[in-house]
């Protein structure tokens, strides 16, 4: 991307995130580095996809924000809703796209250098994007289609009239709003919309080969109308599948914690794990050992006595001995950021693998110019 466009665009992106308090200070730094990685690419497309994802995702987050805040609660006890995103959340969504963008940029620059040197062998790829083109670009597009679908599904699906159903449950049982793995028809439709937005931007800014570039140095096979439709349809559906995969991973490996008093799902700050009573017991014990605090200090922190219930330590609420937080579903293996990152990696690499088979291109071509 030309610096004359990249510098003001990056500044505008960071300023908007700062002014809207969309990102924490560390999140702003991660966003800046991500923008630089995307702007390093000779084409405008990677940077455009980053901007479209950020702006569209932010907009989806603010849709009926005051309503969504009442549907869940935060770990600190305040109303739910999405707070400023941290650097971990930024990287979970964009790290793979940043890596692929740099790799593809280096491929394109190597080809340009080879074309400019008469003594160099002909490059294996093309300067424009042809049907059967570079797999790395497919990975970049798939990354943003999947994370956009997941963002739209999460932010808008929670507003569905009916309760979500747990996708990992054999009978698709109803679960509270905000449960990891909970899906609704509205959420799936919103995910499809998010993916469609990214792919529409892709087709608008993709420097695809055409009849005029065929005879040019570095030109490639031009696209037909049917090929463009096939590529767009596949990528839109693939992005939606990313949202479904995120729900499956979240339903299985991410613990959903429900507040026993309100029946609402508890959201961890910045996408981290939510503590339940046994976790809180251990945290207090470790803190006491490290600081040497007194028993009265521990009582002040916990505020209640604790007992064993069903083999697990529980924290009373309302003066009784019932736990204030209970596990709704899922194993405590991953947090929300882990799930998002794994989903983005699987969908990016998976899309490249599928198109490698479809186009008959060796996957290892991603490592060569």
């Amino acid at each position: 991307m030309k610096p004359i466009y990249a510098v003001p665009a990056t500044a505008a992106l960071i300023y908007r995130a700062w002014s809207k308090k969309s990102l924490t200070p560390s999140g702003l730094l991660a966003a800046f580095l991500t923008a630089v990685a995307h702007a390093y690419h000779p084409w405008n497309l990677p940077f455009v996809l980053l901007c479209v994802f950020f702006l569209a995702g932010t907009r989806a987050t603010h849709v009926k924000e005051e309503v969504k805040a009442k549907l869940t609660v935060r770990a600190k006890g305040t109303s739910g809703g999405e707070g400023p995103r941290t650097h971990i959340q930024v990287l979970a969504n964009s790290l793979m796209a940043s890596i692929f963008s740099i790799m593809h940029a280096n491929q394109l620059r190597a080809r340009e250098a080879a074309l400019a040197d008469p003594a160099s062998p002909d490059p294996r790829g093309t300067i424009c994007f042809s049907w059967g083109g570079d797999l790395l670009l497919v990975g970049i597009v798939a990354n943003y289609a999947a994370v956009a679908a997941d963002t739209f599904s999460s932010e808008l699906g929670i507003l569905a009239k009916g309760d979500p159903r747990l996708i990992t449950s054999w009978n698709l049982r109803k679960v509270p709003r905000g449960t990891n793995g909970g899906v609704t028809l509205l959420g799936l439709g919103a995910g499809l919309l998010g993916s469609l937005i990214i792919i529409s931007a892709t087709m608008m800014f993709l420097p695809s080969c055409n009849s005029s570039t065929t005879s040019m140095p570095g030109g490639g096979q031009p696209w037909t109308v049917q090929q463009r439709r096939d590529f767009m349809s596949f990528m839109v559906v693939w992005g939606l599948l990313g949202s479904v995969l995120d729900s499956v991973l979240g339903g299985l490996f991410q613990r959903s914690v429900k507040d026993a008093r309100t029946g609402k799902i508890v959201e961890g700050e910045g996408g981290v794990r939510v503590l339940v009573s046994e976790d809180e017991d251990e945290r207090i014990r470790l803190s006491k050992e490290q600081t040497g605090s007194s028993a009265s200090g521990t009582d002040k922190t916990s505020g209640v006595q604790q007992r064993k219930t069903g083999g697990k330590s529980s924290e009373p609420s309302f003066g009784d001995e019932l736990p204030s937080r209970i596990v709704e579903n899922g194993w405590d293996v991953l947090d929300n950021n882990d799930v998002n990152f794994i989903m983005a990696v699987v969908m990016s690499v998976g899309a490249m693998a599928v198109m490698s088979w479809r186009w008959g291109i060796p996957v290892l071509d991603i490592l060569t110019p």
Side-chain angles (χ1 to χ4, degrees):
M1 189 175 183
K2 294 181 180 180
I4 192 174
Y5 303 125
V7 173
T10 300
L13 197 67
I14 297 302
Y15 175 76
R16 189 182 189 284
W18 173 78
S19 62
K20 298 291 184 179
K21 297 182 179 179
S22 302
L23 300 173
T24 63
S26 62
L28 289 172
L29 176 60
F32 171 75
L33 296 176
T34 300
V36 170
H38 285 63
Y40 174 73
H41 199 284
W43 298 347
N44 295 334
L45 179 61
F47 192 88
V48 167
L49 294 183
L50 172 65
C51 293
V52 170
F53 167 67
F54 172 73
L55 296 175
T58 301
R59 178 57 184 164
T61 299
H62 292 311
V63 171
K64 295 188 177 181
E65 193 171 14
E66 67 286 351
V67 175
K68 292 187 289 188
K70 299 176 182 179
L71 300 177
T72 59
V73 295
R74 293 186 182 180
K76 294 181 179 180
T78 58
S79 297
E82 184 69 49
R85 287 176 167 83
T86 66
H87 65 289
I88 300 297
Q89 291 172 295
V90 172
L91 295 177
N93 288 316
S94 62
L95 180 59
M96 287 307 300
S98 298
I99 294 173
F100 290 156
S101 181
I102 293 174
M103 292 175 63
H104 190 235
N106 290 333
Q107 281 188 341
L108 291 176
R109 288 188 168 88
R111 291 173 195 169
E112 292 173 349
L115 290 170
D117 185 2
S120 298
D122 292 336
R124 299 177 59 182
T126 59
I127 300 303
C128 56
F129 191 71
S130 62
W131 174 257
D134 298 336
L135 297 176
L136 284 171
L137 191 68
V138 174
I140 297 171
V141 175
N143 180 99
Y144 282 115
V147 297
D150 178 54
T151 299
F152 271 61
S153 181
S154 300
E155 295 295 341
L156 302 181
I158 196 173
L159 296 172
K161 292 183 179 179
D163 290 330
R165 293 184 177 272
L166 186 62
I167 194 172
T168 54
S169 173
W170 68 271
N171 60 349
L172 296 177
R173 67 179 176 89
K174 292 184 178 182
V175 290
R177 298 169 191 263
T179 300
N180 300 311
V183 296
T184 62
L185 290 179
L186 176 61
L188 293 175
L192 187 65
L193 174 62
S195 180
L196 180 60
I197 290 173
I198 292 296
I199 303 307
S200 297
T202 297
M203 302 312 291
M204 290 176 60
F205 288 90
L206 181 68
S208 54
C209 299
N210 52 50
S211 56
S212 64
T213 60
T214 302
S215 58
M216 297 172 57
Q221 183 69 28
W223 292 64
T224 66
V225 174
Q226 187 59 46
Q227 287 170 344
R228 294 177 68 88
R229 288 175 179 172
D230 291 345
F231 182 77
M232 184 174 183
S233 300
F234 167 72
M235 296 305 296
V236 169
V237 174
W238 191 259
L240 176 62
L241 291 177
S243 175
V244 175
L245 175 61
D246 188 272
S247 296
V248 172
L249 292 175
L252 290 175
F253 303 113
Q254 184 182 353
R255 184 175 62 186
S256 294
V257 177
K258 182 171 66 176
D259 182 75
R261 295 163 294 182
T262 63
K264 298 178 180 180
I265 293 297
V266 183
E267 295 183 326
E269 299 291 336
V272 300
R273 289 181 174 88
V274 176
L275 295 177
V276 290
S277 55
E278 59 266 27
D279 299 326
E280 186 70 10
D281 293 344
E282 182 66 12
R283 185 185 67 80
I284 293 173
R285 185 187 66 79
L286 293 175
S287 176
K288 179 179 178 181
E289 290 179 354
Q290 293 172 358
T291 62
S293 58
S294 63
S296 60
T298 302
D299 289 340
K300 182 179 180 180
T301 303
S302 61
V304 289
Q305 283 187 326
Q306 297 175 340
R307 67 178 179 86
K308 295 289 181 177
T309 304
K312 293 184 179 180
S313 174
S314 62
E315 182 177 318
S317 59
F318 301 111
D320 56 22
E321 293 186 345
L322 296 175
S324 61
R325 293 177 180 177
I326 57 177
V327 176
E328 174 66 28
N329 70 283
W331 299 326
D332 187 23
V333 178
L334 306 171
D335 64 18
N336 189 63
N337 300 319
D338 298 330
V339 169
N340 288 345
F341 180 69
I342 292 173
M343 183 274 291
V345 172
V346 171
M347 299 311 295
S348 298
V349 176
M352 292 192 295
V354 171
M355 296 311 291
S356 169
W357 168 79
R358 176 69 176 82
W359 287 338
I361 300 175
V363 175
L364 292 181
D365 270 13
I366 66 174
L367 303 177
T368 57

